[in-house]
Amino acid sequence: MAISEQDIQAIVRNVIQGIQTEGNAIPAQAPKKKLMGIFENIEDAIAAAKKAQKEIQPMPLEFREKIIANIRKKTLENAQILAEMGVEETKMGNVGHKILKHQLVAEKTPGTEDLSTLAWSGDRGLTLVEQGPFGVIGAVTPSTNPSETVICNSIGMLAAGNAVVFAPHPAAKNVSNFAIDMINRASVEAGGPENLAVAVENPTMEVSETIFSHKDINLLVATGGPGVVTKVLSSGKRALGAGAGNPPVLVDETANIPKAAEDIVNGCTFDNNLPCIAEKEVVAVESIADELIFYMKKTGCYYASDEEVARLTDTVFTTKNGKRMLNRACVGRSAKVLLGKIGVDVGNEIRCIIFEGQKEHPMISEELMMPILGIVRVKDVDEGIETALWLEHGNRHSAHMHSTNVNNLTKYGKTLDTAIFVKNGPSYAALGFGGEGYPTFTICSRTGEGLTSAKTFTKSRRCVMCDALCIR
Ligand code: NAD
């Protein structure tokens, strides 16, 4: 039987319709994948997070853990993609180190086990203090550890029963939004709601302002420089501020110098010095300064001449309206790239640039977030402590020391009064990487909570039973 042209067209129409109803439409152009939790409009994003939070709050803690376990699994599976995307988009950092950071977040960020209960029981009954969610949290995240912060914040905030509206750094929006999508997919796959973490396609300052003043946002968390921390602290809402640092590392005459040199260079060069906790300058007691520099050179440091230091200073800073500013094209770049910018060609074995200078030198006193370490010589440990205190600028963020004298270590710790104080190790030991304890990429130095975890994102609730349930 002959088949007419009309019949052929009808069959084709039916086949195409069938494909489309299976969700496999053949578009003229491949559409962009819709990212879960990413909205065009901030109002829609906040409303969706509010709805998701209402769904998650009554669910058992065991269920939150199931979702978190899937977030951990997906983070490990996507660690390389996230690391590559982050470096590609921001042009900062080191892919290998970023993979390690994602693995650390996946494996060691505390979940619901972090929530503890305080109890009193006695003749008049039983009183508990339990930790409950705030509701919907507004979280600003940086360009330096973008997806690491999104994932770490999400695990802690979700463990505490919250949903989160992110305001990612515009220069890291793609990798941040990719991580948000991954979190929602992990939740949905585990049987949980979509939109536990949300953001908009195009984060801007206006979007952040809306989040800061929105009636449905119950807590603000800002991870970034001084500008954004001041902004959230003046919002009128409860806010946690994880601000800037400029961590000094002091080396005294009792330290194991070869080990100190290696630890300092390892800590300083991790992810090209992007972590806010990383060693940013060295204060060395005169009697061991030459030995320290000798070993630092042996462990991959390039010692810059005065003339190279001058050129480097002109390169890593720019001037705007007469004010010295960091040249963002240098932040998070490798030592090799930075030296290349001043016409010095070195091999890949060079990990760090060192030089000697006064504490007031801008490449020493300012937070660079580059593998450049200025070394300030001091006559003794007391002068070293005073110098380090000046260099930390009252951020009370992080300070490190190499010494075997407990009195010196104690005096340094008390004087600097920082959220993090690593002794005899690289700075990243503070994040549970080669040290005890859990990681976070939100260290609330300004507001005093220190290293955040699930319990930081909770409210205390007192629950009282009168004259019963004490069975002693
Ligand atoms: P940044 O301050 O440029 O940006 C951080 C975030 O704040 C971004 O999302 C940005 O869009 C937003 N932002 C900045 N100014 C704002 C304003 N006025 N209003 C609203 N939003 C604003 O910082 P960055 O370059 O992405 O990150 C590096 C800085 O963050 C360094 O100073 C570093 O020490 C600090 N940091 C601190 C921690 C910590 O845990 N304490 C962690 C990571 C980074």
Side-chain angles (χ1 to χ4, degrees), residues 245-312:
N246 189 39
V249 51
L250 173 60
V251 186
D252 79 7
E253 67 284 5
T254 71
N256 176 340
I257 304 300
K259 181 176 183 304
E262 196 173 344
D263 286 345
I264 292 169
V265 177
N266 285 344
C268 166
T269 55
F270 189 64
D271 206 14
N272 290 345
N273 200 247
L274 288 177
C276 52
I277 60 163
E279 293 84 348
K280 299 281 191 283
E281 62 277 335
V282 179
V283 180
V285 168
E286 171 65 39
S287 59
I288 51 83
D290 288 335
E291 190 187 354
L292 183 69
I293 291 168
F294 171 82
Y295 282 108
M296 288 177 91
K297 284 184 189 164
K298 275 187 80 162
T299 188
C301 288
Y302 178 88
Y303 191 95
S305 68
D306 289 351
E307 192 262 332
E308 286 164 344
V309 169
R311 273 191 287 142
L312 207 50

Side-chain angles (χ1 to χ4, degrees), residues 92 139-145 149 167-171 203-206 208-209 212 222-229 231-232 241-246 274-277 280 328 331 367 369 397 440-446 450:
M92 301 191 293
V140 186
T141 52
S143 57
T144 47
N145 319 301
T149 310
H169 196 292
T204 59
M205 289 290 177
E206 293 71 44
S208 298
E209 296 286 349
F212 298 166
T223 310
V228 68
V229 171
K231 201 91 198 170
V232 298
N246 189 39
L274 288 177
C276 52
I277 60 163
K280 299 281 191 283
R328 299 297 296 194
V331 174
E367 184 197 31
M369 295 178 285
H397 189 299
T440 178
F441 286 93
T442 298
I443 297 141
C444 290
S445 42
R446 269 285 279 281

Side-chain angles (χ1 to χ4, degrees), residues 96-351:
H97 293 167
K98 282 197 188 291
I99 292 174
L100 294 174
K101 285 160 82 179
H102 284 89
Q103 289 170 342
L104 184 69
V105 164
E107 287 165 356
K108 289 183 128 186
T109 303
T112 55
E113 75 284 2
D114 197 48
L115 308 173
S116 57
T117 301
L118 188 64
W120 295 267
S121 70
D123 297 342
R124 297 307 310 265
L126 173 68
T127 293
L128 306 174
V129 176
E130 291 181 315
Q131 295 168 284
F134 270 89
V136 182
I137 299 176
V140 186
T141 52
S143 57
T144 47
N145 319 301
S147 45
E148 300 90 312
T149 310
V150 163
I151 298 166
C152 188
N153 277 184
S154 296
I155 292 176
M157 291 171 184
L158 167 62
N162 304 286
V164 49
V165 180
F166 282 107
H169 196 292
K173 67 178 179 186
N174 294 330
V175 67
S176 305
N177 288 355
F178 183 88
I180 292 168
D181 170 78
M182 188 193 80
I183 284 152
N184 288 307
R185 284 180 199 278
S187 173
V188 171
E189 259 181 41
E194 198 174 330
N195 302 323
L196 283 174
V198 299
V200 292
E201 279 165 19
N202 283 310
T204 59
M205 289 290 177
E206 293 71 44
V207 166
S208 298
E209 296 286 349
T210 305
I211 296 172
F212 298 166
S213 59
H214 202 282
K215 64 175 179 26
D216 291 331
I217 299 288
N218 313 101
L219 171 71
L220 293 171
V221 180
T223 310
V228 68
V229 171
T230 303
K231 201 91 198 170
V232 298
L233 292 181
S234 42
S235 67
K237 288 185 193 291
R238 168 89 197 275
L240 310 180
N246 189 39
V249 51
L250 173 60
V251 186
D252 79 7
E253 67 284 5
T254 71
N256 176 340
I257 304 300
K259 181 176 183 304
E262 196 173 344
D263 286 345
I264 292 169
V265 177
N266 285 344
C268 166
T269 55
F270 189 64
D271 206 14
N272 290 345
N273 200 247
L274 288 177
C276 52
I277 60 163
E279 293 84 348
K280 299 281 191 283
E281 62 277 335
V282 179
V283 180
V285 168
E286 171 65 39
S287 59
I288 51 83
D290 288 335
E291 190 187 354
L292 183 69
I293 291 168
F294 171 82
Y295 282 108
M296 288 177 91
K297 284 184 189 164
K298 275 187 80 162
T299 188
C301 288
Y302 178 88
Y303 191 95
S305 68
D306 289 351
E307 192 262 332
E308 286 164 344
V309 169
R311 273 191 287 142
L312 207 50
T313 309
D314 288 343
T315 305
V316 305
F317 293 108
T318 54
T319 318
K320 199 173 168 192
N321 303 329
K323 211 176 152 234
R324 192 172 52 227
M325 312 264 295
L326 265 190
N327 177 357
R328 299 297 296 194
C330 292
V331 174
R333 292 346 189 245
S334 68
K336 182 176 164 60
V337 167
L338 292 170
L339 285 168
K341 285 179 187 285
I342 59 160
V344 177
D345 190 25
V346 293
N348 285 327
E349 72 286 359
I350 293 299
R351 300 190 284 154

